[in-house]
C-alpha cells in the first residue's frame, strides 16, 4: 500500500483492487504472486499513469520479486535501493519513465538480472 500511496494510485489508469480492505494483494491489478506461498513475484504497471517518486517506495524489501515493469510512467528519482537484497529479480523495466538523477552503481549488484531496461528515460537533471 505504501507504493500505491506514494505513486498516486487513485490517478492510475487501472488501480483495480489496490487499497480495498480485505482484498488479498494477489488480486490487485498488475500484481503476480506465487500461488502456493502468496508472496509477490511480479509487479507490472506499464503505461498506467503511475506518477510519483519511486525512490520513496520500498519495493526492494519484496525479496521474492522477480519481475518489475513500470515502463512509460513518471517515476521521479532513480531509486537508491539496496539492490543486493533483490536476489530473485530477473527483469527490471523502468524505460520511458523520465527518471531523475543517475544510475546507481549498486544496480550492478542485482545477482539474477537477465533483462535490465533503463532506455528512453531522458535522465532529467534536477
Amino acid at each position: 500500500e505504501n507504493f500505491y500511496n506514494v505513486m498516486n494510485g487513485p490517478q492510475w489508469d487501472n488501480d483495480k483492487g489496490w487499497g480495498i480492505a480485505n482484498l488479498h494483494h494477489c488480486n490487485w491489478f498488475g500484481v503476480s504472486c506465487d500461488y502456493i506461498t502468496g508472496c509477490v513475484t511480479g509487479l507490472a504497471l506499464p503505461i498506467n499513469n503511475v506518477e510519483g517518486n519511486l525512490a520513496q517506495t520500498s519495493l526492494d524489501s519484496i525479496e521474492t520479486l522477480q519481475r518489475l515493469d513500470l515502463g512509460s510512467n513518471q517515476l521521479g528519482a532513480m531509486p537508491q535501493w539496496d539492490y543486493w537484497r533483490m536476489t530473485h529479480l530477473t527483469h527490471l523495466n523502468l524505460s520511458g519513465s523520465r527518471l531523475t538523477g543517475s544510475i546507481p552503481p549498486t544496480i550492478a549488484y542485482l545477482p539474477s538480472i537477465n533483462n535490465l531496461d533503463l532506455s528512453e528515460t531522458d535522465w532529467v537533471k534536477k
Side-chain angles (χ1 to χ4, degrees):
E1 249 181 82
N2 164 269
F3 177 79
Y4 181 74
N5 294 327
V6 170
M7 302 306 289
N8 202 18
Q11 301 303 312
W12 296 353
D13 292 338
N14 188 341
D15 71 339
K16 185 178 177 188
W18 288 78
I20 296 177
N22 301 320
L23 183 63
H24 195 272
H25 58 261
C26 294
N27 295 315
W28 299 351
F29 174 78
V31 175
S32 301
C33 293
D34 179 296
Y35 290 103
I36 295 172
T37 65
C39 293
V40 174
T41 58
L43 180 58
L45 297 169
I47 316 169
N48 198 40
N49 201 32
V50 176
E51 184 174 341
N53 190 347
L54 188 60
Q56 292 179 348
T57 68
S58 54
L59 292 180
D60 60 326
S61 68
I62 305 173
E63 295 180 11
T64 55
L65 192 62
Q66 297 172 12
R67 302 176 78 86
L68 178 58
D69 184 354
L70 298 174
S72 299
N73 287 294
Q74 301 292 316
L75 303 181
M78 179 68 187
Q80 301 296 315
W81 290 328
D82 292 329
Y83 290 98
W84 59 270
R85 288 178 26 176
M86 303 174 88
T87 58
H88 298 286
L89 191 68
T90 58
H91 292 78
L92 175 60
N93 179 14
L94 302 178
S95 66
S97 296
R98 201 149 171 80
L99 292 164
T100 60
S102 59
I103 300 172
T106 55
I107 207 163
Y109 298 123
L110 287 169
S112 301
I113 199 74
N114 290 325
N115 186 341
L116 174 63
D117 191 349
L118 303 175
S119 64
E120 301 179 33
T121 58
D122 294 332
W123 296 108
V124 176
K125 299 266 186 201
K126 250 193 163 180

